[in-house]
Amino acid sequence: MTDEEKLKGIIGKENPFKVPDGYFEDFQQRLMSSLPERSFAQKKPVRIPIWRNTRTWVSAAAVFAGVIVMVAALHRADNLRDAAYASTDDGIFTEEEMSEYLATSVFDDYTLYSYLTNDE
Amino acid sequence: MKIAHSMALNEELLLKQLKDPRKAHEAFGAVVKEYTEPLYWHLRRMVLDHDDANDLLQNTFIKAWTNIDGFQGNSKISTWLYRIATNEALTFLNRQSGTDVVSLDNDDAPPVNLEADEYFDGDDLQRRLQEALQSLPPKQRTVFNMKYFDEMKYEDMSEVLGTSVGALKASYHLAVQKISAFFQDDI
């Protein structure tokens, strides 16, 4: 048992003081009716420059526009890539397409071979 | 009477109203209603005499009223009021004892005669307790009262008294020991 607990056991927490009847109610009424005049701090109206006021919205709009442009650019790149692949469906030439291409191309066999082996 | 839980009012709104000329009087009425009793008992335990406690309570509220604009809301309104009240009481006790500085270990307070006090209703044990408390330096007595009777947290007491939590704990522990020694025969 601590000293504090021992002390509580002896002296308890009883309040031995009294106040006159109705003291607290009277006090509040007396005090409120006798408060001195008080000068209030004059608040100057705060003028916020138009730019500072709209800066947040302009910044947000710029970020939003940037995101839109970026998404549009990526979307366009995807479309172009899809278009390139569209001729071959899955991007791989069929044997018939290759033959047709070779037949109409201006490459001779040597040039084509060099091209395919990167040996220029 | 715990300082942290006694405020049922919305502090932020209340502070705004206290600084608004149209609403300040009514808002201050709410503060007075909320804190009259706890502050009175806090002061009464410090100075013992009802009339002195009454004067100090009135000074406390008037100081609060005239200095609201300087209160920035960095602490709770309750803490601010307790600080004003405590300073008022310590200054009063200080003046009574004729010293300029009230420290945690200054024990020059004059004795108070509770026998003649019509608003003291305690038995012999209570009278001895007040005697024991009077033997403590005023600020240490304040620490004891705030912790033991008001059940304040050390952190709140630290804000009110401007003393570190460590120093308050040490002071309270010492006060408990001194009062226990006073009641040695009863233990």
Side-chain angles (χ1 to χ4, degrees), chain A residues 3-4 8 10-20 23-24 27-28 31-32 36 38-41, chain B residues 18 25 29 32 36-37 40-41 44 50 54 57 61 65 69 119-121 125-126 129 148 151 172 187:
Chain A
D3 285 347
E4 187 185 26
K8 276 180 191 166
I10 300 166
I11 64 174
K13 289 198 174 183
E14 207 175 313
N15 182 5
F17 299 105
K18 292 189 303 179
V19 292
Y23 166 72
F24 292 117
F27 176 86
Q28 289 167 24
L31 181 83
M32 292 309 294
R38 186 185 135 205
S39 59
F40 288 86
Chain B
L18 286 169
H25 198 271
V32 170
T36 293
E37 278 204 50
Y40 171 83
W41 292 121
R44 180 75 185 272
H50 166 70
N54 176 60
L57 184 63
F61 279 125
W65 169 249
D69 281 329
Y119 298 119
F120 182 80
D121 197 23
L125 185 75
Q126 289 291 343
L129 171 62
Y148 187 84
E151 297 179 359
Y172 179 67
I187 296 176

Side-chain angles (χ1 to χ4, degrees), chain B residues 50-90:
Chain B
H50 166 70
D51 291 331
D52 291 338
N54 176 60
D55 290 347
L56 292 169
L57 184 63
Q58 192 169 321
N59 291 350
T60 298
F61 279 125
I62 287 175
K63 277 200 173 175
W65 169 249
T66 51
N67 290 289
I68 286 170
D69 281 329
F71 177 59
Q72 299 299 316
N74 295 328
S75 62
K76 286 179 282 188
I77 291 174
S78 54
T79 306
W80 180 57
L81 289 171
Y82 268 82
R83 189 158 54 228
I84 297 171
T86 305
N87 285 340
E88 285 289 308
L90 288 176

Side-chain angles (χ1 to χ4, degrees), chain B:
Chain B
M1 190 168 51
K2 294 175 187 173
I3 190 171
H5 305 296
S6 60
M7 195 63 185
L9 308 167
N10 178 333
E11 292 247 339
E12 199 180 336
L13 178 66
L14 189 63
L15 189 56
K16 205 180 262 183
Q17 291 176 340
L18 286 169
K19 295 188 178 191
D20 181 341
R22 290 166 303 165
K23 299 174 182 171
H25 198 271
E26 192 185 339
F28 195 70
V31 171
V32 170
K33 192 174 178 190
E34 180 85 12
Y35 287 110
T36 293
E37 278 204 50
L39 285 176
Y40 171 83
W41 292 121
H42 174 66
L43 290 165
R44 180 75 185 272
R45 286 195 189 97
M46 287 181 77
V47 299
L48 303 185
D49 181 70
H50 166 70
D51 291 331
D52 291 338
N54 176 60
D55 290 347
L56 292 169
L57 184 63
Q58 192 169 321
N59 291 350
T60 298
F61 279 125
I62 287 175
K63 277 200 173 175
W65 169 249
T66 51
N67 290 289
I68 286 170
D69 281 329
F71 177 59
Q72 299 299 316
N74 295 328
S75 62
K76 286 179 282 188
I77 291 174
S78 54
T79 306
W80 180 57
L81 289 171
Y82 268 82
R83 189 158 54 228
I84 297 171
T86 305
N87 285 340
E88 285 289 308
L90 288 176
T91 304
F92 171 82
L93 293 169
N94 184 29
R95 217 176 286 141
Q96 266 194 335
S97 65
T99 56
D100 291 332
V101 180
V102 178
S103 68
L104 285 172
D105 53 3
N106 173 9
D107 55 358
D108 293 334
V112 173
N113 182 15
L114 288 169
E115 302 284 344
D117 190 340
E118 60 174 314
Y119 298 119
F120 182 80
D121 197 23
D123 55 13
D124 184 53
L125 185 75
Q126 289 291 343
R127 202 165 279 114
R128 283 169 61 207
L129 171 62
Q130 293 308 319
E131 207 180 312
L133 287 169
Q134 286 300 298
S135 73
L136 301 177
K139 198 164 175 184
Q140 193 173 57
R141 185 165 74 237
T142 306
V143 171
F144 181 83
N145 285 336
M146 289 168 95
K147 184 70 188 152
Y148 187 84
F149 291 109
D150 296 349
E151 297 179 359
M152 257 189 215
K153 291 177 183 170
Y154 281 116
E155 287 74 18
D156 289 331
M157 289 167 64
S158 176
E159 275 197 64
V160 171
L161 296 168
T163 306
S164 72
V165 168
L168 290 172
K169 284 182 179 175
S171 180
Y172 179 67
H173 182 69
L174 204 59
V176 169
Q177 280 188 330
K178 285 182 188 175
I179 296 169
S180 296
F182 212 87
F183 289 93
Q184 193 59 46
D185 295 341
D186 302 87
I187 296 176

